[in-house]
Amino acid sequence: MQRTLAPKVSGWSVMLAWSAACTGGGGAQRPAASVAREPFGTTDQGAAVNVYTLKNAHGMEVRATSYGGIILSLKVPDRNGRFDDVVLGYDSLSDYQRASPYFGAIIGRYGNRIAGGRFTLDGRTYTLARNNGPNHLHGGLKGFDKVVWDVAPFEHPDSVGLVFRYRSPDGEEGYPGTLQATVTYTLTDRNELIFDYLGTTDRATPVNLTQHSYFNLAGDGKGDILGHVVTLNADHFTPVDSTLIPTGEIRAVAGTPFDFRTPTAIGARIAQDDEQLRYGRGYDHNFVLNKGGTGGSPGEGAALTLAARVYEPSTGRVMEIYTTEPGMQFYTGNFLDGTLRGKHGVVYRHRYGFAMETQHFPDTPNKPDFPSTTLHPGEQYRSQTIYKFAVQP
Ligand code: GLA
């Protein structure tokens, strides 16, 4: 699926706003979609960071920062039209810099784990930080979640958005090649938040970009997420060892607590005595999405298909996820333990949020049978994920 990515900004300074009525929508005047920028502080290293507020014509609002591309808040309506922030996070930049379990951030250069922090590519072995027990996780000590991105806002007749750009130098966090990464967030008037990922490199390198928002569709801080009803379009998942590295097996979900092919509450089976649930301390697994035969290697231009649907019964909020990626890590906030204090002083207790990280499979650089994550010079890494919000009675 192709979309126009070129930012369409001219003379942008502090605020852009327009009325949908001006764009030929006709009929009753709708609220203006807009994008605005404010300072969000300075990093410990002295870099200035901004926060951008996107609003669509229905009042849906996304706030995101140039630090890590972090989505700070995401306001969507419930079945009565009441808006709540449905993502976890912090109020201040210093909180994100101090200790964040990747709240809302862009993840790269390689989302998820690489076993032993090592891989071999074109006959050469690369050593990466072991920042998660014996393994490498989410790009290392200073992954794409902790860098300051260049941001260019844009406006289109039926959407607003932000283009994030980052040049990851050759050797950064141990990875080969200079990677030019571009991630576009688009908020549409169809209540979709679209993520487009592009990348190019000057040497072969593994690339696996994703977004790590934690959701609670009842509202941030409104209890655990065990009552959310999840449907996953996945007949298989990749079982893991005790350090959450895939064994290489592609296992059928049928007859296991990983079968979400029909709508099932997250909490319905999470406490079952199951080895995989023990290893993950709950769900923290990559699901192999049913793609109808399409591949999904970098540069291949895979099809956009439904990955997941989540329904929160008390508010009626629904989130659907569509992606070109072959996999999705479903993580149920098992490591949240009440030690982090988030926005407005909310304490994030066990399973107060879940993440659905669309991705290639974990540890692919060491798993030749998994769909490839190697990006070569001359190829374009290209990936798209859509979070679509709606309500249900
Ligand atoms: C991913 C990982 C989890 C955990 C979270 C952040 O979802 O798979 O194990 O690291 O990120 O805490």
Side-chain angles (χ1 to χ4, degrees), residues 12 35-37 50-54 62-66 151 153 162:
W12 191 86
V35 47
R37 180 184 63 189
N50 288 320
V51 56
Y52 299 81
T53 304
L54 308 176
V62 181
R63 292 175 71 240
T65 165
S66 47
V151 183
L162 303 169

Side-chain angles (χ1 to χ4, degrees), residues 295-381:
S297 294
E300 268 181 20
L304 188 64
T305 55
L306 180 70
R309 184 175 195 276
V310 187
Y311 167 62
E312 200 291 302
S314 72
T315 59
R317 291 198 181 95
V318 172
M319 179 172 72
E320 285 178 345
I321 300 182
Y322 298 84
T323 188
T324 58
E325 287 297 311
M328 190 181 79
Q329 185 85 1
F330 177 38
Y331 169 58
T332 46
N334 312 311
F335 294 117
L336 299 176
D337 60 2
T339 55
L340 301 178
R341 193 174 283 272
K343 288 178 271 190
H344 313 295
V346 163
V347 174
Y348 291 134
R349 300 189 198 285
H350 199 211
R351 298 181 177 148
Y352 263 40
F354 66 91
M356 290 188 165
E357 306 151 57
T358 54
Q359 57 172 17
H360 273 54
F361 305 170
D363 199 32
T364 295
N366 295 305
K367 298 280 191 300
D369 294 340
F370 285 175
S372 173
T373 51
T374 305
L375 181 70
H376 297 95
E379 293 175 343
Q380 189 169 56
Y381 174 91

